[in-house]
Every structure is written in structure tokens, then in C-alpha cells.
Amino acid sequence: MSLKPKPPHPLGNCPGCAEPLESGDRFCGACGFDLSAAEVPDRPTVPIALPVEWPEPPPRDPQSLTTATQHPGDLPGTDSGGRDLPTLPVRTDEVPAAPAAEAPAGRAPAAAEPEAVTPSPEPAAPSPDPAAASPEAGPEAVRPSADGDFTLPAPDPRAALRAEAAAPSPAPSPAPAPAAGDGRKVCVACRTGRVDDDGYCEHCGHAQPRDRDHMEEELPTVAAVSDRGLRHHRNEDSFAVASAALADGSPAALAVVCDGVSSATRPDEASAAAASAARATLITALPRGTHPQQAMQEAIVAAAEAVTALAERAEGEREHQNAPACTIVGSIVADGLLVVGWVGDSRAYWVPDDRGTPPARLTEDDSWAAQMVAAGLMSEAQAYADERAHAITGWLGADSYELEPHTAAFKPDRPGVVVVCTDGLWNYAEAADDMARILPPDAAERPLHAAQVLVGHALDGGGHDNITVALLPFTLPSPGAGPA
């Protein structure tokens, strides 16, 4: 290991023979001069004005373990010989002024802070050595003082800081390039890593949004939007939309919306299975010539069977858990006929294009509140204000009391839009007039945009539940068309 150098002797050189002295010498080693009798030369000092205006500390890397500190060269003043420090401009008759570009980043040059130091009343005399007055001599030049003592000015401690700041910071490690043929999704956060089967990015670890958190689908004659909402941790709603044809070739549009029962097991699977089974039944039955109302009845039965099939407990599932369950509502628009079918409390509304004509609700809830109103025991306002209002009395699932699909057929005399939705929407627009008020006027021409507006209305209202809505524009059949 290296030894620390000894500090210099206060006298510097022997007054008798000018031999260099070392710290601790009491007699000159060359001539034997008694150093204790020699007078130590006075080093002029400069008083510091109070209060001291300390400069800002140098920038510090947050990841560094070192503490940002002030260095002597950061403060304006003079060295022990009474000369200006290198960071301050010095007199032009001594050395050129340091360029302003050498000031620390983010701060003004040191010359902008003269009030921190009281100048010496008597400027130091110019050095008699011609070399000291040379334009090439700078703050780092070696200059003898008046007593012949050669003094090296202290190096600027900020030089290392400036060098570190100028050094390029290491670039973050890039994400590993995906292997050829890697069909996994790209992370929505870093846009480079791939998403593992557990739903997290293998590069940045960011959790990915689930596919069902927000879903949209648009066809020429129907559109639907589903959103998780603001309070639920997953989306337990599901929908299915399709275009079909009747036996005579006339077009038909259909939409099915299902709401999983949160208190049951795997409600998200129940709603998805019901919507898929109902859609498959409808697009098969309608081209065969089955009447749309009968086809809707068969679709609800098929949906119920699909949900019941989920009741077989998966491995590790607890015995006492409720069977998967959901509600369902669907609509078919075909050749001047409007058909709806439902079980539970999901709803369908009719909103005519002519807003001067009153809208209507096309379904009746299978719920405690609806039963109280139907029995004449409570008014509608009283029933839906009760905490039991949304307790459903009908649903699809293995533990439903008895499957009673409801269907109805209508023949509107004017164009309009059918709104098929879960209670995540109609809780914020329960009456038909309220639904018509929030439905955009151009819903028939832009059903997807209108569905997005309705979902946005529920989110603005609080989004307490999953929100799903499908819109089917209804047009009158062309003149001369046969009866449905």
C-alpha cells in the first residue's frame, strides 16, 4: 500500500540556505539553522461575509450511494496565498479569465456571486516573475511568491464532477428479441417484451389487461360494447352479435347479452357460455325457417343447458359453492318484426328515431322489486328503493328453480333502435325516457358510437357494475314485402 505524503513545513525552505524543509523539522539538515527562531510568514486571509450564500449542491445520481457534498472549489474566495481561486475570474494582468462555459451546469458562473466574499482592501501585487505574467500562464501555472516559495494551486475539485457529467450514461438493457415464430402478445407497457401465460410481461413484469376488460364488436346491422366498470376486478358480462338470414333470404340481426351472477361460482364463464350457445342456436334456427320468436325460445333453453353443464365441479372446487349462473336478454330484428327474450333482470328498450314518440321498455325483470310491484304490495319507486330490489328470482343455472323463458314479438310502425343491456347500464337510466335521453340521436346510423356513449354514461355515473349494451337499428320493411 502507498503511504500518505507528509505535509509541508510552514517555512517551506530554510531561511539560511533555502534548503527545502519537511514537516516536523526543527533544524535545517543542511546548515543547522534553528528553525524555531525563524518567524513564520503571515498568509493573508479574506473575511467571509455573513450570512454565507451557499451555492446549490452538484447534481447527484439517485442510484449513487455517495452523498452530494460541497467542495472547496464550489465556493468563491481566495486560496491561502491571497489569490483568487481558479473558479473566479482573476485580474487580466495575471492570467486570462476562465471561460463562462466552465461554470457548473444549472448555475451562473462564480463571478455572478461576488457578494459571498468581501474583497481584499489591497489587491495583491503583480508577480515580478515575467513567466507569471505570460498570457500562457493560467491558474494551474507554477508561480513563485514574493518570498521565493513555489506554490502549486490546488486542483479544481469539480473537474472530476464535470468529467463524470460529460461521460455518457449507460443505456438501459434492451428487451431480448422475441424468437422467430413467437405468437405471444406484445406488452402494452414496454411494447417490446412478450406476455407469458400468467398474464405478465417477461421483460418489464407489467400485468396485462384481460381481454374481457373492454370488448367491442360492430357489424353492419348491430354493435355491442362491454366494459368491466370501475369497481369490479373482472368483467362478468358477455355478449354475442351476428347477422343471419331468414328462410326467404331476408336479412336478420341478433344480439344476446348475459350478466354473470357474482355470488355464484365462475360467473364470467357462465355468461360467456350462455351468450355463445344462444348465438349458435339462433344462426342455425333462423335460416331453417323457424319463427324468430320460437328461435329465441330455443336459444334461451340452449343457453341454460350450457350454463348447467358448467356445474360439474372442477378439481379443487369447494362443495358448498353455488353453481355458475347468469341472466340473459336477447333481441332479433328481421323483416319488420322485433323479438325479445329474457330471463333475469337484464333489459331491452325501444327508442324510436322520432324522439317525439314515447320510448318503451320491452322486458319485465325477474326480480324481487318487480314481484312486489306486480302483486300491488309496493309502488315501483318504493320497490326499487329497497335494498332487496335487485335480488333476482329467475336465472340460468343448475340451481335455478324452474326455467321460464320470456319472449315477446312487436311490429313497430316507425324506425328506431333496440337497446339490449345489463343492469350495469340501466341502473343509471332506469326509465325508458331516461334511456332515450342519453341515447345519441344518430344511434341508427352509428350504433357502435352510440353504444360507446352509453357505456361512458354509466362510467361517468360511477361504474359500480360491469356494463354491457348492444344496439340494433330497426327499419321498416320496404313496400311490397310479405308479412313476417
Side-chain angles (χ1 to χ4, degrees), residues 90-119:
V90 297
R91 293 187 301 274
T92 56
D93 58 349
E94 286 190 354
V95 293
E102 293 187 1
R107 295 210 297 103
E113 302 173 356
E115 66 277 7
V117 174
T118 304

mmCIF file of all heavy atoms in Angstrom, residues 90-119:
data_model
loop_
_atom_site.group_PDB
_atom_site.id
_atom_site.type_symbol
_atom_site.label_atom_id
_atom_site.label_comp_id
_atom_site.label_asym_id
_atom_site.label_seq_id
_atom_site.Cartn_x
_atom_site.Cartn_y
_atom_site.Cartn_z
ATOM 1 N N VAL A 90 -9.807 36.062 -12.652
ATOM 2 C CA VAL A 90 -8.712 36.772 -11.987
ATOM 3 C C VAL A 90 -8.353 37.998 -12.814
ATOM 4 O O VAL A 90 -8.843 38.200 -13.915
ATOM 5 C CB VAL A 90 -7.490 35.842 -11.820
ATOM 6 C CG1 VAL A 90 -7.852 34.691 -10.920
ATOM 7 C CG2 VAL A 90 -7.010 35.331 -13.173
ATOM 8 N N ARG A 91 -7.464 38.825 -12.279
ATOM 9 C CA ARG A 91 -7.101 40.065 -12.958
ATOM 10 C C ARG A 91 -6.423 39.770 -14.284
ATOM 11 O O ARG A 91 -5.646 38.827 -14.413
ATOM 12 C CB ARG A 91 -6.174 40.889 -12.050
ATOM 13 C CG ARG A 91 -6.870 41.395 -10.801
ATOM 14 C CD ARG A 91 -5.952 42.346 -10.050
ATOM 15 N NE ARG A 91 -4.709 41.696 -9.666
ATOM 16 C CZ ARG A 91 -4.560 40.986 -8.543
ATOM 17 N NH1 ARG A 91 -5.599 40.842 -7.726
ATOM 18 N NH2 ARG A 91 -3.400 40.451 -8.249
ATOM 19 N N THR A 92 -6.727 40.566 -15.265
ATOM 20 C CA THR A 92 -6.186 40.328 -16.598
ATOM 21 C C THR A 92 -4.684 40.507 -16.654
ATOM 22 O O THR A 92 -4.032 40.019 -17.578
ATOM 23 C CB THR A 92 -6.836 41.292 -17.597
ATOM 24 O OG1 THR A 92 -6.625 42.635 -17.144
ATOM 25 C CG2 THR A 92 -8.325 41.029 -17.706
ATOM 26 N N ASP A 93 -4.103 41.219 -15.644
ATOM 27 C CA ASP A 93 -2.655 41.361 -15.671
ATOM 28 C C ASP A 93 -1.952 40.143 -15.105
ATOM 29 O O ASP A 93 -0.731 40.075 -15.088
ATOM 30 C CB ASP A 93 -2.223 42.605 -14.888
ATOM 31 C CG ASP A 93 -2.688 42.552 -13.446
ATOM 32 O OD1 ASP A 93 -3.502 41.668 -13.128
ATOM 33 O OD2 ASP A 93 -2.231 43.412 -12.663
ATOM 34 N N GLU A 94 -2.762 39.163 -14.573
ATOM 35 C CA GLU A 94 -2.150 37.940 -14.076
ATOM 36 C C GLU A 94 -2.380 36.782 -15.029
ATOM 37 O O GLU A 94 -1.455 36.252 -15.618
ATOM 38 C CB GLU A 94 -2.713 37.578 -12.700
ATOM 39 C CG GLU A 94 -2.198 38.461 -11.578
ATOM 40 C CD GLU A 94 -2.600 37.908 -10.227
ATOM 41 O OE1 GLU A 94 -3.360 36.914 -10.198
ATOM 42 O OE2 GLU A 94 -2.152 38.458 -9.213
ATOM 43 N N VAL A 95 -3.662 36.394 -15.197
ATOM 44 C CA VAL A 95 -3.987 35.256 -16.059
ATOM 45 C C VAL A 95 -5.297 35.553 -16.752
ATOM 46 O O VAL A 95 -6.091 36.368 -16.292
ATOM 47 C CB VAL A 95 -4.106 33.947 -15.226
ATOM 48 C CG1 VAL A 95 -2.776 33.554 -14.656
ATOM 49 C CG2 VAL A 95 -5.156 34.090 -14.147
ATOM 50 N N PRO A 96 -5.571 34.906 -17.878
ATOM 51 C CA PRO A 96 -6.858 35.110 -18.536
ATOM 52 C C PRO A 96 -7.997 34.579 -17.675
ATOM 53 O O PRO A 96 -7.825 33.636 -16.917
ATOM 54 C CB PRO A 96 -6.717 34.297 -19.836
ATOM 55 C CG PRO A 96 -5.269 33.939 -19.959
ATOM 56 C CD PRO A 96 -4.693 34.007 -18.602
ATOM 57 N N ALA A 97 -9.139 35.207 -17.837
ATOM 58 C CA ALA A 97 -10.314 34.761 -17.082
ATOM 59 C C ALA A 97 -10.758 33.406 -17.594
ATOM 60 O O ALA A 97 -10.683 33.104 -18.778
ATOM 61 C CB ALA A 97 -11.450 35.777 -17.214
ATOM 62 N N ALA A 98 -11.237 32.566 -16.679
ATOM 63 C CA ALA A 98 -11.756 31.252 -17.072
ATOM 64 C C ALA A 98 -13.020 31.440 -17.876
ATOM 65 O O ALA A 98 -13.845 32.294 -17.566
ATOM 66 C CB ALA A 98 -12.040 30.414 -15.821
ATOM 67 N N PRO A 99 -13.243 30.670 -18.944
ATOM 68 C CA PRO A 99 -14.457 30.828 -19.746
ATOM 69 C C PRO A 99 -15.692 30.491 -18.949
ATOM 70 O O PRO A 99 -15.678 29.626 -18.095
ATOM 71 C CB PRO A 99 -14.248 29.844 -20.898
ATOM 72 C CG PRO A 99 -13.247 28.859 -20.393
ATOM 73 C CD PRO A 99 -12.371 29.602 -19.442
ATOM 74 N N ALA A 100 -16.767 31.245 -19.282
ATOM 75 C CA ALA A 100 -18.022 31.030 -18.545
ATOM 76 C C ALA A 100 -18.561 29.637 -18.765
ATOM 77 O O ALA A 100 -19.345 29.139 -17.975
ATOM 78 C CB ALA A 100 -19.059 32.064 -18.974
ATOM 79 N N ALA A 101 -18.163 28.978 -19.839
ATOM 80 C CA ALA A 101 -18.687 27.641 -20.112
ATOM 81 C C ALA A 101 -18.275 26.636 -19.065
ATOM 82 O O ALA A 101 -18.839 25.562 -18.974
ATOM 83 C CB ALA A 101 -18.219 27.172 -21.489
ATOM 84 N N GLU A 102 -17.242 26.973 -18.230
ATOM 85 C CA GLU A 102 -16.788 26.028 -17.237
ATOM 86 C C GLU A 102 -17.596 26.095 -15.959
ATOM 87 O O GLU A 102 -17.331 25.369 -15.016
ATOM 88 C CB GLU A 102 -15.323 26.268 -16.906
ATOM 89 C CG GLU A 102 -14.383 25.962 -18.075
ATOM 90 C CD GLU A 102 -12.949 26.036 -17.656
ATOM 91 O OE1 GLU A 102 -12.702 26.304 -16.463
ATOM 92 O OE2 GLU A 102 -12.078 25.847 -18.504
ATOM 93 N N ALA A 103 -18.596 26.993 -15.898
ATOM 94 C CA ALA A 103 -19.433 27.046 -14.706
ATOM 95 C C ALA A 103 -20.258 25.779 -14.629
ATOM 96 O O ALA A 103 -20.639 25.204 -15.637
ATOM 97 C CB ALA A 103 -20.352 28.268 -14.761
ATOM 98 N N PRO A 104 -20.547 25.296 -13.419
ATOM 99 C CA PRO A 104 -21.349 24.080 -13.294
ATOM 100 C C PRO A 104 -22.694 24.248 -13.967
ATOM 101 O O PRO A 104 -23.291 25.318 -13.972
ATOM 102 C CB PRO A 104 -21.501 23.918 -11.769
ATOM 103 C CG PRO A 104 -20.388 24.733 -11.174
ATOM 104 C CD PRO A 104 -20.142 25.846 -12.132
ATOM 105 N N ALA A 105 -23.185 23.141 -14.543
ATOM 106 C CA ALA A 105 -24.470 23.184 -15.231
ATOM 107 C C ALA A 105 -25.569 23.557 -14.260
ATOM 108 O O ALA A 105 -25.620 23.077 -13.140
ATOM 109 C CB ALA A 105 -24.755 21.817 -15.855
ATOM 110 N N GLY A 106 -26.489 24.400 -14.719
ATOM 111 C CA GLY A 106 -27.624 24.785 -13.902
ATOM 112 C C GLY A 106 -27.354 25.949 -12.974
ATOM 113 O O GLY A 106 -28.249 26.398 -12.278
ATOM 114 N N ARG A 107 -26.154 26.447 -12.913
ATOM 115 C CA ARG A 107 -25.848 27.589 -12.053
ATOM 116 C C ARG A 107 -25.168 28.665 -12.870
ATOM 117 O O ARG A 107 -24.547 28.417 -13.881
ATOM 118 C CB ARG A 107 -24.892 27.187 -10.921
ATOM 119 C CG ARG A 107 -25.466 26.196 -9.958
ATOM 120 C CD ARG A 107 -24.895 26.364 -8.576
ATOM 121 N NE ARG A 107 -23.507 26.144 -8.408
ATOM 122 C CZ ARG A 107 -22.552 27.070 -8.274
ATOM 123 N NH1 ARG A 107 -22.715 28.208 -8.426
ATOM 124 N NH2 ARG A 107 -21.334 26.832 -8.016
ATOM 125 N N ALA A 108 -25.217 29.913 -12.404
ATOM 126 C CA ALA A 108 -24.489 31.005 -13.052
ATOM 127 C C ALA A 108 -23.014 30.879 -12.732
ATOM 128 O O ALA A 108 -22.631 30.244 -11.752
ATOM 129 C CB ALA A 108 -25.017 32.344 -12.555
ATOM 130 N N PRO A 109 -22.131 31.450 -13.553
ATOM 131 C CA PRO A 109 -20.708 31.403 -13.226
ATOM 132 C C PRO A 109 -20.441 32.015 -11.873
ATOM 133 O O PRO A 109 -21.216 32.816 -11.349
ATOM 134 C CB PRO A 109 -20.071 32.221 -14.355
ATOM 135 C CG PRO A 109 -21.063 32.185 -15.472
ATOM 136 C CD PRO A 109 -22.401 32.115 -14.833
ATOM 137 N N ALA A 110 -19.289 31.639 -11.285
ATOM 138 C CA ALA A 110 -18.976 32.106 -9.927
ATOM 139 C C ALA A 110 -18.873 33.607 -9.854
ATOM 140 O O ALA A 110 -19.068 34.201 -8.804
ATOM 141 C CB ALA A 110 -17.667 31.475 -9.450
ATOM 142 N N ALA A 111 -18.586 34.274 -10.996
ATOM 143 C CA ALA A 111 -18.484 35.732 -10.972
ATOM 144 C C ALA A 111 -19.810 36.379 -10.659
ATOM 145 O O ALA A 111 -19.870 37.539 -10.270
ATOM 146 C CB ALA A 111 -17.968 36.238 -12.312
ATOM 147 N N ALA A 112 -20.913 35.642 -10.816
ATOM 148 C CA ALA A 112 -22.228 36.203 -10.531
ATOM 149 C C ALA A 112 -22.525 36.210 -9.050
ATOM 150 O O ALA A 112 -23.599 36.585 -8.650
ATOM 151 C CB ALA A 112 -23.301 35.429 -11.274
ATOM 152 N N GLU A 113 -21.582 35.719 -8.188
ATOM 153 C CA GLU A 113 -21.827 35.631 -6.761
ATOM 154 C C GLU A 113 -20.760 36.390 -5.982
ATOM 155 O O GLU A 113 -20.166 35.884 -5.043
ATOM 156 C CB GLU A 113 -21.833 34.163 -6.328
ATOM 157 C CG GLU A 113 -22.872 33.339 -7.080
ATOM 158 C CD GLU A 113 -22.730 31.869 -6.740
ATOM 159 O OE1 GLU A 113 -21.798 31.521 -5.993
ATOM 160 O OE2 GLU A 113 -23.546 31.083 -7.205
ATOM 161 N N PRO A 114 -20.459 37.649 -6.346
ATOM 162 C CA PRO A 114 -19.377 38.343 -5.633
ATOM 163 C C PRO A 114 -19.737 38.719 -4.217
ATOM 164 O O PRO A 114 -18.873 38.958 -3.396
ATOM 165 C CB PRO A 114 -19.143 39.579 -6.501
ATOM 166 C CG PRO A 114 -20.471 39.828 -7.158
ATOM 167 C CD PRO A 114 -21.055 38.484 -7.388
ATOM 168 N N GLU A 115 -21.058 38.774 -3.896
ATOM 169 C CA GLU A 115 -21.431 39.231 -2.582
ATOM 170 C C GLU A 115 -21.099 38.215 -1.503
ATOM 171 O O GLU A 115 -21.159 38.526 -0.314
ATOM 172 C CB GLU A 115 -22.927 39.560 -2.531
ATOM 173 C CG GLU A 115 -23.844 38.362 -2.706
ATOM 174 C CD GLU A 115 -24.054 38.003 -4.165
ATOM 175 O OE1 GLU A 115 -23.381 38.598 -5.032
ATOM 176 O OE2 GLU A 115 -24.885 37.149 -4.447
ATOM 177 N N ALA A 116 -20.718 36.977 -1.875
ATOM 178 C CA ALA A 116 -20.434 35.975 -0.864
ATOM 179 C C ALA A 116 -19.082 36.197 -0.197
ATOM 180 O O ALA A 116 -18.807 35.632 0.837
ATOM 181 C CB ALA A 116 -20.468 34.583 -1.487
ATOM 182 N N VAL A 117 -18.234 37.020 -0.790
ATOM 183 C CA VAL A 117 -16.896 37.236 -0.246
ATOM 184 C C VAL A 117 -16.605 38.727 -0.237
ATOM 185 O O VAL A 117 -16.902 39.448 -1.189
ATOM 186 C CB VAL A 117 -15.827 36.498 -1.095
ATOM 187 C CG1 VAL A 117 -14.430 36.847 -0.594
ATOM 188 C CG2 VAL A 117 -16.068 35.011 -1.057
ATOM 189 N N THR A 118 -16.015 39.227 0.845
ATOM 190 C CA THR A 118 -15.590 40.623 0.906
ATOM 191 C C THR A 118 -14.221 40.748 0.267
ATOM 192 O O THR A 118 -13.275 40.090 0.704
ATOM 193 C CB THR A 118 -15.520 41.095 2.362
ATOM 194 O OG1 THR A 118 -16.782 40.890 2.969
ATOM 195 C CG2 THR A 118 -15.120 42.563 2.418
ATOM 196 N N PRO A 119 -14.071 41.550 -0.809
ATOM 197 C CA PRO A 119 -12.769 41.636 -1.470
ATOM 198 C C PRO A 119 -11.711 42.170 -0.540
ATOM 199 O O PRO A 119 -11.972 42.911 0.400
ATOM 200 C CB PRO A 119 -13.016 42.583 -2.651
ATOM 201 C CG PRO A 119 -14.498 42.701 -2.778
ATOM 202 C CD PRO A 119 -15.071 42.406 -1.432
#
